Amino acid sequence: MVKPPPLTSRRDLLLWTKRTLFSLGIKPKKKLSQSFVVEPQLIIEIMRYIQHYKPLTILEIGAGLGTLTYHIASLCKKVIAIEIDGRLAFFVKKLTRDLGNVEVITADILEIDDVFFNNVIVGNIPYHITSDIILRISKSKCPLAIITLQREFAERLVAKASEHRYGKITIITDYLFEKKICSVYPPIAFYPTPSVYSALITMKRIRDYDDIAKSLEKLLLCTFTERNKLAYKVVNKCTNIDISGELPWLREKRVDQLTLNEFLEILHIMLKIRK
């Protein structure tokens, strides 16, 4: 019988994690960003948000040792746990087989079918593919994501215009989601200990990835290649339309000073002129 992951203390969960990895003969792989949660408070906080939203099905990104998987299974009808490491996936199947509502899939999260992303999503996102996952979530019908990210990336998602971390991914997710950094966790919340702080963030969908989102993303990809230049010059070059007459404030701002609403104004004028 597999002993379930304890949430009694950080020390107990760390010991369980080390013993389990040792028994499986697994050394965490840095290239897969394998770092396992050993802070019970992080698991409990995620569970609290799940209890609040009451989803039927949850997609978990990166099941790891099943620490989160095991505990959230009691809060929904089904958990679909994705894990790229076959050895870990096999263990999670054993850990959760008596629960009856956990499906473990051995796969690269970026290669699974889009339909999986249409559920509520939880997980500790691998640092090396964070941008790709956020974009997959954005383009899906995921209603809510409760995810742990590198703190620096989480701050990019909630940055304001003119701030250093403000960029393309900030604006496109501003259009699609209501975002909130809930808590910040130190490196010792994970094993092996990473060199960075992590942040738990919620992303609650406010609109689908529609035609406006597609046009916005295309405009952002072009304009942010010259983020520090005057907005009217860059926008004119990217759209092949001189819209500074319609929007004179473009002459006074750099690209990275433009807010979501200002980019939407640019799109509105651009589409009106092209018609």
Side-chain angles (χ1 to χ4, degrees):
M1 182 179 176
V2 180
K3 184 179 178 182
L7 299 183
T8 45
S9 69
R10 181 184 172 277
R11 179 182 176 277
D12 290 344
L13 186 53
L14 176 61
L15 188 60
W16 179 89
T17 300
K18 287 183 173 181
R19 284 176 173 170
T20 303
L21 289 171
F22 180 77
S23 69
L24 296 172
I26 294 175
K27 292 184 178 180
K29 295 178 180 178
K30 199 169 185 179
K31 69 176 182 179
L32 295 179
S33 301
Q34 286 182 332
S35 196
F36 304 90
V37 178
V38 293
E39 175 50 72
Q41 183 55 42
L42 175 52
I43 304 296
I44 292 167
E45 187 174 7
I46 293 171
M47 291 173 67
R48 192 159 58 238
Y49 281 106
I50 292 172
Q51 285 176 313
H52 176 75
Y53 289 105
K54 298 180 174 60
L56 290 178
T57 302
I58 293 174
L59 173 69
E60 183 187 8
I61 296 176
L65 287 170
T67 309
L68 180 60
T69 323
Y70 182 89
H71 291 289
I72 63 174
S74 64
L75 304 177
C76 62
K77 189 174 180 180
K78 183 177 182 180
V79 177
I80 303 168
I82 309 296
E83 174 53 52
I84 194 171
D85 190 319
R87 299 167 301 170
L88 292 173
F90 181 75
F91 173 77
V92 178
K93 286 179 183 178
K94 286 203 301 181
L95 176 69
T96 61
R97 65 185 172 194
D98 292 337
L99 300 179
N101 66 334
V102 178
E103 178 183 1
V104 182
I105 299 174
T106 306
D108 183 333
I109 189 63
L110 296 176
E111 295 179 1
I112 66 169
D113 194 277
D114 290 341
V115 69
F116 287 104
F117 279 82
N118 294 340
N119 298 295
V120 167
I121 292 173
V122 303
N124 301 301
I125 306 303
Y127 295 154
H128 67 294
I129 54 172
T130 301
S131 293
D132 294 330
I133 289 176
I134 294 298
L135 287 174
R136 279 292 297 272
I137 292 172
S138 296
K139 294 177 182 181
S140 72
K141 294 188 181 298
C142 167
L144 173 72
I146 309 163
I147 50 180
T148 310
L149 309 173
Q150 186 174 333
R151 181 175 65 176
E152 182 178 326
F153 195 97
E155 289 172 348
R156 282 175 61 191
L157 289 179
V158 299
K160 303 300 181 186
S162 298
E163 292 180 352
H164 172 65
R165 292 195 172 102
Y166 185 72
K168 303 185 295 294
I169 203 159
T170 316
I171 300 165
I172 194 65
T173 54
D174 278 350
Y175 179 72
L176 299 168
F177 298 98
E178 178 185 289
K179 299 168 291 184
K180 177 186 174 185
I181 292 180
C182 307
S183 301
V184 174
Y185 288 89
I188 60 168
F190 300 86
Y191 174 82
T193 306
S195 58
V196 296
Y197 277 69
S198 298
L200 179 66
I201 187 169
T202 57
M203 298 171 58
K204 186 177 180 183
R205 187 173 294 279
I206 55 177
R207 60 174 60 87
D208 289 337
Y209 186 84
D210 53 18
D211 288 339
I212 294 175
K214 292 176 185 176
S215 298
L216 176 61
E217 185 180 19
K218 186 176 179 181
L219 180 61
L220 294 171
L221 285 170
C222 183
T223 54
F224 268 85
T225 59
E226 300 179 277
R227 59 178 292 142
N228 296 315
K229 292 190 176 181
L230 286 172
Y232 84 94
K233 291 184 178 180
V234 180
V235 171
N236 288 356
K237 186 166 76 172
C238 287
T239 62
N240 292 316
I241 299 173
D242 184 358
I243 62 174
S244 56
E246 298 265 5
L247 302 173
W249 45 262
L250 274 178
R251 292 184 171 273
E252 301 170 4
K253 293 191 171 189
R254 300 189 314 270
V255 169
D256 66 352
Q257 293 175 317
L258 298 178
T259 65
L260 168 63
N261 286 336
E262 288 169 337
F263 271 107
L264 293 177
E265 280 190 69
I266 293 167
L267 281 178
H268 176 73
I269 298 297
M270 183 183 79
L271 293 173
K272 186 175 75 170
I273 292 173
R274 284 182 175 170
K275 283 181 180 178

